[in-house]
Amino acid sequence: MSGIAGWFAPGPGAGHQRPTLDAMTAALTGQGPGEGRIWPAGGAALAGPRGGLAEDPEPGRPRAVGREEPPRAAVAFDGVLYEAAAVRAELAGRGHRFRDGTDAETVLHAYLEWGADCAARLDGAFAFAVWDARRRRLLLCRDRLGVRPLYHARLDGAVYFASEPKALLVDSLVEPVLDAEGLRELFTQAKTPGLSVFRGIDEVRPGHVLDVGPGSAERAYWTLRAEPHTDGLDTTVATVHALLADSVARAVTGATSPCSLLSGGLDSGAVTALAARALDPAGTLRTATATFVGYAENFRPDNVRTTPDAPYAAEVARHVGSDHTDVVLGTADLLDRRLREAALRAQDRPTPFAEMDVAGLLIFRAARERSAVALSGEAADEIFGGFTWMHEPDLTAADQFPWVAYEHSHEASRRGLGLGLFDRGLLQKLELAAYGADRYRQALAEVPRLDGEGGQERRMREICHLHVLRWLPRLLDRDDRLSRAAGLEVRMPFCDYRLVEYLFNVPWALKTFDGREKSLLRAAVGELLPRSVVERRKSPFPVNQDPAYSQILRAELARLLDASDSPVLPLLDPVAARGAAAEARGGAHWLSRLNIEMVLQLHGWLTTYGVRLAL
């Protein structure tokens, strides 16, 4: 796994040096030796992984990456295409000839045939850059849901791009600056499409094409549309099953002994059971579950976790006959400084979920030891309506993102998730409530609606749209970056745009036809799984319940507060921070621990990246 990088610079400049491209590529997470470079004339350069580069497909003329003769067009590609053979067959019928049939070559031929409209003809999880020397244009594109990232920055008339922000910080291309807007993005739990936390670095929006050239513009090639749903319950259930089964089958095609990341819940169980059926009889499905030392034996329920994962995951593994592994993590693993820094660097931003980030990195690493491709149940809650707050009328009726309303309903996160130790004056100056409200209104204005649709159906259409386009991108970013750091390719069958489009238009009354969350998914896959798993209440990713973990976090916080040179200190409420460091039990609620995590993470990020505050 690696990413792509490059630039388009119409005029002369320092960015036209090969060492800059080498540095950008080296900065990408998971980038290995021997990665490719294309250095066309005309002020453009591309870099990408093996198999991720293609150029000038003119027949009869041998081409090689690294040559000096400029190509007519070139592409750098990151990700995977589904049904690429069908696209190549159509293009072959139009006279195109393929050398090796890579996804990058498929994209390049598609561009030469259809131009920027090629994006709508491709299906998969991808980000790519096309340099068209004939038209002197650079085209940047992301898949519909934004599973693969792509960032860009404009500097002195040039446009630089990369799969990760860190590659745009090398050689003083972009100074790492955190301004007020960046801090607001860090502190609010809704991702604004197009923004990063670094000043001067933006992202290509999911489902968009950015055309850099004469008349530069970004446009959407895909968006959710509101359409009447005319299928009855039985047909809807059958359609969901068919779409999901096909998506899983495409995800395992070409994958040798893939691994399913199994939590013991309905979502990952559905993917696992369908993958076991879709695999070639000679293939082996591997499964892996993250848990903690003594977690199942000493499990203590909280307000969102009522049962431990491992026993249910083991039951699914036995049921489908997978080669199963429990990845058992200890407190020492979660507090390992190198692992915490690796998780931070992978994401290029601090989060209050350092514990889960490290656990995620370790489960991805464990999966990579036996498989190159893993399957994830991510996105099921967003499209089927699985989150707790989607089923609480007070939260769905709130005039804000429902997950923010949920956070504010708990004392431990009333200031904001992970913000309990920050200076109240700073939080007031940032006007986080107003910022969140503005982002919420922008998101709400983008929701398509049916004529005459009202009441709960209208509101729940809004809620589902908000989750797909504002909540899910944060999780996809996290999964992509951590799995990339582990060298693992994670495929997400629930992110199939056909399934997302279909479910977006299924009425809420059908999605909850039996009065429970994810009714349709249960009905669609219930016969494939043990009854205990089908009926299990949703349980989020587990958290470490070892008291020593909180004690060590508090000790870390105390040491940070005693230091005089930490860049995070001016942002803190010293009384609240000292109180948290001295608190005997680490807070009355597990959410309280996130306050300490956020402070430690922000300190590490500001220090490691040399971030300058401009508030």
Side-chain angles (χ1 to χ4, degrees):
M1 287 286 292
S2 59
I4 61 175
W7 67 72
F8 168 43
H16 290 233
Q17 303 303 312
R18 291 190 186 221
T20 298
L21 187 61
D22 292 339
M24 293 174 70
T25 307
L28 294 172
T29 302
Q31 189 80 23
E35 308 297 348
R37 311 284 192 277
I38 292 178
W39 189 268
L46 306 179
R50 297 185 190 92
L53 291 171
E55 56 178 329
D56 198 327
E58 186 176 344
R61 298 181 62 189
R63 302 294 176 183
V65 171
R67 60 174 175 74
E68 295 301 327
E69 183 184 353
R72 296 181 303 166
V75 64
F77 177 88
D78 175 39
V80 60
L81 293 182
Y82 303 126
E83 306 296 338
V87 176
R88 287 193 294 272
E90 181 178 357
L91 289 166
R94 294 169 178 260
H96 292 260
R97 298 294 178 264
F98 294 87
R99 292 187 178 87
D100 51 23
T102 63
D103 287 347
E105 189 183 27
T106 303
V107 171
L108 183 55
H109 281 270
Y111 171 77
L112 291 171
E113 181 66 32
W114 297 303
D117 293 335
C118 71
R121 295 174 177 266
L122 303 173
D123 183 14
F126 55 78
F128 65 80
V130 175
W131 164 244
D132 188 333
R134 302 165 302 174
R135 296 178 175 85
R136 293 192 54 77
R137 74 194 300 197
L138 175 70
L139 199 74
L140 304 178
C141 180
R142 287 180 76 191
D143 63 77
R144 291 166 178 82
L145 293 179
V147 176
R148 290 289 187 270
L150 189 56
Y151 295 86
H152 61 94
R154 294 180 180 272
L155 304 167
D156 299 325
V159 174
Y160 295 77
F161 68 89
S163 294
E164 303 168 31
K166 62 171 65 69
L168 299 173
L169 301 175
V170 302
D171 283 4
S172 301
L173 290 177
V174 178
E175 181 189 3
V177 174
L178 180 67
D179 59 17
E181 184 173 74
L183 194 55
R184 292 184 186 107
E185 280 293 308
L186 275 182
F187 281 177
T188 54
Q189 298 301 311
K191 181 174 173 59
T192 303
L195 296 184
S196 83
V197 298
F198 292 102
R199 187 172 71 185
I201 296 179
D202 297 315
E203 67 168 4
V204 179
R205 296 179 60 167
H208 280 65
V209 172
L210 176 62
D211 188 343
V212 181
S216 178
E218 186 174 25
R219 66 175 180 84
Y221 69 88
W222 179 83
T223 186
L224 285 171
R225 293 181 173 86
E227 298 176 354
H229 184 80
T230 58
D231 293 344
L233 177 59
D234 290 345
T235 301
T236 300
V237 170
T239 302
V240 167
H241 178 93
L243 287 171
L244 182 58
D246 183 62
S247 180
V248 172
R250 295 195 301 169
V252 299
T253 298
T256 303
S257 301
C259 178
S260 186
L261 303 172
L262 187 57
S263 71
L266 179 65
D267 310 339
S268 64
V271 169
T272 300
L274 289 169
R277 289 194 170 193
L279 274 179
D280 184 280
T284 300
L285 179 65
R286 293 167 173 156
T287 50
T289 299
T291 189
F292 300 108
V293 175
Y295 190 76
E297 299 83 357
N298 304 308
F299 178 77
R300 297 187 303 277
D302 57 33
N303 65 311
V304 293
R305 299 170 182 85
T306 58
T307 52
D309 286 347
Y312 293 91
E315 189 174 1
V316 173
R318 288 192 299 270
H319 187 75
V320 304
S322 65
D323 179 3
H324 185 67
T325 298
D326 278 331
V327 182
V328 182
L329 309 176
T331 294
D333 298 315
L334 301 177
L335 291 168
D336 185 289
R337 290 182 182 274
R338 292 169 300 177
L339 290 173
R340 291 171 77 87
E341 182 175 344
L344 175 64
R345 282 187 174 275
Q347 298 181 88
D348 287 326
R349 60 179 290 169
T351 80
F353 308 108
E355 170 191 348
M356 287 182 275
D357 293 341
V358 172
L361 178 60
L362 289 173
I363 187 68
F364 288 146
R365 286 184 177 181
R368 183 62 184 92
E369 289 178 0
R370 303 197 301 162
S371 303
V373 173
L375 306 181
S376 167
E378 199 75 270
D381 286 315
E382 288 80 0
I383 63 177
F384 282 100
F387 291 111
T388 301
W389 51 74
M390 288 177 152
H391 301 270
E392 297 185 17
D394 289 347
L395 300 181
T396 58
D399 191 24
Q400 58 184 323
F401 293 111
W403 54 88
V404 174
Y406 176 79
E407 293 165 11
H408 292 172
S409 69
H410 293 85
E411 181 64 35
S413 58
R414 191 146 299 168
R415 289 196 202 181
L417 201 62
L419 305 185
L421 306 184
F422 287 89
D423 179 69
R424 288 180 180 271
L426 170 66
L427 299 181
Q428 290 172 357
K429 178 183 176 182
L430 291 174
E431 298 181 314
L432 295 180
Y435 183 80
D438 181 59
R439 292 295 187 249
Y440 170 73
R441 286 190 296 270
Q442 290 178 7
L444 206 61
E446 297 172 1
V447 180
R449 301 172 178 85
L450 289 176
D451 291 340
E453 188 176 54
Q456 185 187 39
E457 288 299 338
R458 176 186 174 92
R459 180 54 178 165
M460 295 314 296
R461 181 185 291 279
E462 294 172 346
I463 294 293
C464 291
H465 195 274
L466 294 174
H467 277 82
V468 170
L469 297 186
R470 290 299 192 278
W471 173 267
L472 179 60
R474 296 171 56 251
L475 306 183
L476 297 181
D477 276 358
R478 172 188 178 275
D479 291 346
D480 175 85
R481 304 292 285 283
L482 292 176
S483 61
R484 193 184 295 266
L488 180 71
E489 179 184 347
V490 174
R491 299 180 182 177
M492 305 177 186
F494 286 109
C495 286
D496 187 314
Y497 78 94
R498 303 166 304 164
L499 181 64
V500 174
E501 288 176 347
Y502 185 79
L503 283 164
F504 178 65
N505 287 298
V506 173
W508 186 251
L510 270 184
K511 288 182 180 177
T512 57
F513 70 87
D514 64 359
R516 300 186 62 183
E517 84 285 354
K518 291 191 284 195
S519 304
L520 280 181
L521 184 57
R522 283 191 175 82
V525 301
E527 295 183 356
L528 304 178
L529 293 168
R531 181 52 46 185
S532 61
V533 174
V534 175
E535 298 299 326
R536 185 189 181 201
R537 178 183 169 187
K538 174 180 170 55
S539 183
F541 195 89
V543 293
N544 184 17
Q545 296 185 339
D546 180 4
Y549 183 78
S550 294
Q551 294 169 5
I552 295 172
L553 283 183
R554 293 197 301 275
E556 285 288 322
L557 177 62
R559 282 192 288 271
L560 186 151
L561 295 173
D562 288 337
S564 59
D565 57 349
S566 171
V568 78
L569 292 180
L571 307 180
L572 300 183
D573 177 339
V575 175
R578 288 287 180 187
E583 217 283 330
R585 295 180 298 110
H589 194 282
W590 67 271
L591 287 171
S592 298
R593 198 160 70 192
L594 303 186
N595 295 328
I596 300 178
E597 294 274 30
M598 187 62 184
V599 170
L600 298 177
Q601 281 274 291
L602 186 55
H603 162 78
W605 182 68
L606 293 171
T607 303
T608 301
Y609 280 72
V611 176
R612 179 170 66 85
L613 294 172
L615 304 179

